[in-house]
Every structure is written in structure tokens, then in C-alpha cells.
């Protein structure tokens, strides 16, 4: 009986999440749409997404961010933001953590999510990981966004790993791009997102969302040959924190 009650609670918690995801998009649809017509208005779109979408979702779910910053990002400077990926809350939490406007690089399958996918394909850089041509286009689009003073966010595990995996192996893309464009890598550890809202259906619940923004990795003197070293050093920082 107690288990059945808990399962009902988990279902209601997930339904509430999707309501919180959908309602702000519908309420602010005209403004969101207007700010996606041109790349020049992306900072305004980012402000809306951060303050009127991501934050209401986090606080509405009873998930209150607690951020430890070992180093601060400078306003107007571009960065490569990376973190472990365990939950749909990762998107909202990343938006909350970074005041600097950034663009997500993510898998094209997210386009299929109703309503959310409509804006995802308009403002994010989509990648088909099985296509070399797609990965080449990602680099060109990222260069254009960096030239506009934006940052880039990539979850370097390349997807959400199985829940028993603490931290999957990292892909090269984020680190190769950071070195090519000479921008600092900003590693972040998301401690609690899997516990709060994992991809296991009957799970999750309110509570703190702890984040640590680690010391940045500078890439100014690095070359393409340093990609694997940078990748493993960044992964080790996050893995050490998680374990």
C-alpha cells in the first residue's frame, strides 16, 4: 500500500514537471518566437529562458540550487561549459548557473519533444553524432555564435549514461572546439540532479540541487594534439567530486 502511494506521488511529480515546462512556453510564446527570428536577439531569448522558464521549473519542483563557484565568469567573454549529464533538470540548472548567454549543442532527437522541440531547433546547435557532415556544420555554427560573444554548452558524455554509471567517458567535441577557438573550459559538477529527477519513472523528489563551478581550464597555449589530455583532466575533476 505504501509503495503504491509513493508511486502515485512520483507520477504526480513528473506530471507537474511537464506542466511547469509547458505553461511558461505557452504564456510567453509570442515573445519567445519574436526573439528567435534573428540571432541578434538571442541574448533576449536567453534572458527569458533563464528567468521565466528555467527558474520557475526548478523552484516549482522544490529543487533549490546551491552554487559553489571557485572562479567567476567575466561578462561578455565566451566559454565552453561542460557538466555531467544525468537528468532533464541539467538543462534548467545550467541556464540558472550561467549569467553569460550560451547556446546548447545537443542531439537532434530532442526536436521531437512537443513544444520544447519547436524552440530547441530554432536556438540550439543540433548534431547528428553519426554524421561527419553534421559535426562539421556544428563547428561552423559554433564559430558564428562565438563571434557574437556567446558561450557554448556541451554535455561531453554525449548523452545520459545508464544510471549505475557515475560518469561516462567524455567525447572529444567540446575540448577540440575549446582549443580551436581558444576559449576557457568551465567544468561543473551537478551532484543531485539524478536523485531529484532521473530517467527512472518511479523516482525523484524535491530537495537541494548542489553545483560546483570548478577552476577554469585555459586553452590559449594548447593545440589539437592536447585534446585528449584536456578531456581527461576535465573529466577527472568532475569524477573526483562525484565519488
Amino acid at each position: 500500500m505504501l509503495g503504491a502511494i509513493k508511486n502515485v506521488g512520483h507520477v504526480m511529480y513528473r506530471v507537474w514537471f511537464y506542466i511547469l515546462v509547458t505553461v511558461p512556453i505557452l504564456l510567453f510564446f509570442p515573445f519567445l518566437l519574436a526573439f528567435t527570428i534573428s540571432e541578434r536577439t538571442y541574448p533576449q531569448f536567453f534572458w527569458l529562458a533563464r528567468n521565466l522558464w528555467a527558474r520557475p521549473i526548478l523552484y516549482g519542483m522544490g529543487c533549490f540550487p546551491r552554487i559553489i563557484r571557485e572562479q567567476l565568469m567575466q561578462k561578455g567573454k565566451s566559454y565552453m561549459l561542460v557538466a555531467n549529464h544525468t537528468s532533464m533538470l541539467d538543462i534548467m540548472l545550467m541556464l540558472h548557473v550561467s549569467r553569460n548567454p550560451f547556446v546548447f549543442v545537443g542531439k537532434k532527437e530532442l526536436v521531437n519533444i512537443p513544444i520544447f522541440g519547436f524552440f530547441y531547433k530554432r536556438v540550439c546547435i543540433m548534431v547528428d553524432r553519426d554524421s561527419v557532415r553534421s559535426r562539421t556544420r556544428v563547428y561552423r555554427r559554433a564559430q558564428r555564435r562565438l563571434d557574437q560573444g556567446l558561450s557554448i554548452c556541451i554535455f561531453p558524455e554525449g548523452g545520459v549514461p545508464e544510471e549505475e554509471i557515475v560518469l561516462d567517458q567524455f567525447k572529444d567535441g567540446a575540448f577540440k572546439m575549446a582549443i580551436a577557438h581558444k576559449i576557457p573550459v568551465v567544468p561543473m559538477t551537478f551532484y543531485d540532479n539524478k536523485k531529484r529527477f532521473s530517467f527512472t519513472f518511479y523516482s525523484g523528489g524535491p530537495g537541494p540541487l548542489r553545483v560546483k563551478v570548478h577552476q577554469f581550464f585555459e586553452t590559449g597555449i594548447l593545440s589539437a594534439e592536447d585534446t585528449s589530455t584536456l578531456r581527461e583532466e576535465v573529466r577527472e575533476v568532475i569524477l573526483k567530486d562525484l565519488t
Side-chain angles (χ1 to χ4, degrees), residues 50 103 194:
R50 181 174 188 261
V103 176
K194 184 189 296 187

Side-chain angles (χ1 to χ4, degrees), residues 142-155:
Q143 177 64 69
R144 188 170 73 246
R145 303 305 253 161
L146 290 168
D147 289 343
Q148 295 166 353
L150 301 175
S151 295
I152 301 293
C153 174
I154 298 178
F155 294 108

Side-chain angles (χ1 to χ4, degrees), residues 218-238:
E218 298 295 336
T219 61
I221 63 172
L222 301 183
S223 64
E225 288 74 26
D226 299 307
T227 298
S228 60
T229 301
L230 176 63
R231 180 194 70 216
E232 293 308 310
E233 287 179 349
V234 171
R235 182 177 181 273
E236 182 61 28
V237 166
I238 297 175

Side-chain angles (χ1 to χ4, degrees), residues 45-83:
F45 176 89
F46 178 86
W47 188 92
L48 284 174
R50 181 174 188 261
N51 294 285
L52 301 182
W53 183 72
R55 285 180 167 175
I57 293 171
L58 294 176
Y59 288 106
M61 295 291 289
C63 298
F64 305 106
R66 297 179 180 175
I67 306 171
I68 298 173
R69 300 182 190 269
E70 294 185 342
Q71 188 172 345
L72 297 175
M73 287 182 272
Q74 299 176 23
K75 186 176 181 180
K77 186 173 181 178
S78 296
Y79 297 90
M80 176 62 68
L81 312 178
V82 300

